[in-house]
Amino acid sequence: MKKMHLKTTSAVFLATLSLAATSCAKQGDATIRQAMDAYQRHSFEESKTLFEQALEEDTNYSKETIYNFIANILMAEGDFEEANVYLEKLLETKEDYRMLVQLGRNYRELGDNGKAEATYKRAIALNPAKGEAYASLGAVKIAEGKFGEAVENLAKAAELEPKIAVIHANLAVAHALGGDKSAAEEEFKKAEELKCENLEEFRERAGL
């Protein structure tokens, strides 16, 4: 399976652990600490087992937080299908923009653009003032060959997040594949000014 490297996961675990330490300890908190320690040692199966055990124990951590921990472990292992089970459980209780965007990405990893699109639209409905979901939806539309819709969504993302280079690079690709090479070059210029990584790869995709 393809593995995902989640740069912020350990930091999130440690931050959450620190917050829980300020509360009165409960039986399941020790299990959570053991699970976090196992994760940091990259003992993912042990960590997942301990988090699942904690779901049955009295703990200061919400079930939604533990679902998130387990989903991160599964994504680190490349098991996006099972990770989505836990993300969906989390989202059943409360819609969360960041989790919805991650869920959409996982569906893309699984090749399910239909569910990815529906999930990104849920994120947009939840918070239309953020650009990440628009950008992700635009990438789906490029993959589907719907370049007009791709431009629409990526342009909105660029309006909301003008300093994110990759959004301009993808918008350039959408413009180029849609036949507007002049607009594509304008966006490539912005992406270059923002020091977009792998800019030549985007140009190759655009045929420029």
Side-chain angles (χ1 to χ4, degrees):
M1 291 182 179
K2 180 178 178 182
K3 293 193 176 183
M4 175 181 284
H5 298 287
L6 303 173
K7 295 184 289 185
T8 60
T9 302
S10 295
V12 170
F13 280 7
L14 290 172
T16 307
L17 179 59
S18 297
L19 287 172
T22 63
S23 305
C24 295
K26 296 182 179 180
Q27 178 186 1
D29 294 345
T31 306
I32 294 288
R33 285 193 291 272
Q34 292 171 30
M36 291 176 176
D37 179 66
Y39 180 88
Q40 294 204 24
R41 289 186 279 105
H42 291 187
S43 297
F44 295 134
E45 284 305 312
E46 178 187 356
S47 182
K48 180 173 176 288
T49 298
L50 286 164
F51 278 126
E52 289 175 337
Q53 177 183 326
L55 285 169
E56 307 301 322
E57 298 175 344
D58 188 21
T59 174
N60 280 302
Y61 297 83
S62 68
K63 287 188 182 296
E64 293 74 30
T65 298
I66 298 172
Y67 290 150
N68 187 20
F69 287 160
I70 295 172
N72 275 282
I73 291 167
L74 291 163
M75 287 187 287
E77 293 183 309
D79 191 348
F80 299 102
E81 186 170 2
E82 186 66 15
N84 281 2
V85 172
Y86 285 92
L87 288 176
E88 291 282 16
K89 284 182 179 181
L90 186 161
L91 289 163
E92 282 175 7
T93 303
K94 182 180 179 181
E95 293 275 80
D96 179 274
Y97 182 87
R98 185 173 61 86
M99 292 297 108
L100 284 167
V101 172
Q102 184 60 64
L103 181 63
R105 287 175 179 158
N106 288 359
Y107 279 127
R108 287 212 70 195
E109 288 285 349
L110 294 167
D112 193 334
N113 282 348
K115 284 188 177 180
E117 178 176 341
T119 305
Y120 292 140
K121 286 181 176 178
R122 283 168 65 187
I124 290 168
L126 184 65
N127 193 336
K130 289 188 176 182
E132 191 174 6
Y134 285 107
S136 298
L137 181 55
V140 171
K141 294 302 180 182
I142 290 175
E144 293 177 340
K146 298 176 180 178
F147 305 123
E149 292 181 49
V151 166
E152 180 182 350
N153 282 284
L154 285 159
K156 182 65 175 179
E159 176 188 331
L160 294 168
E161 307 284 355
K163 299 299 184 182
I164 298 181
V166 69
I167 292 177
H168 292 287
N170 269 320
L171 179 53
V173 171
H175 275 306
L177 295 178
D180 192 340
K181 295 190 179 347
S182 176
E185 288 296 353
E186 288 181 16
E187 292 301 324
F188 273 132
K189 182 179 179 181
K190 292 176 184 177
E192 184 174 11
E193 289 172 352
L194 292 167
K195 303 187 185 306
C196 179
E197 295 182 10
N198 305 319
L199 189 60
E200 287 307 311
E201 293 181 14
F202 286 98
R203 283 194 168 274
E204 286 178 15
R205 288 173 55 202
L208 296 176

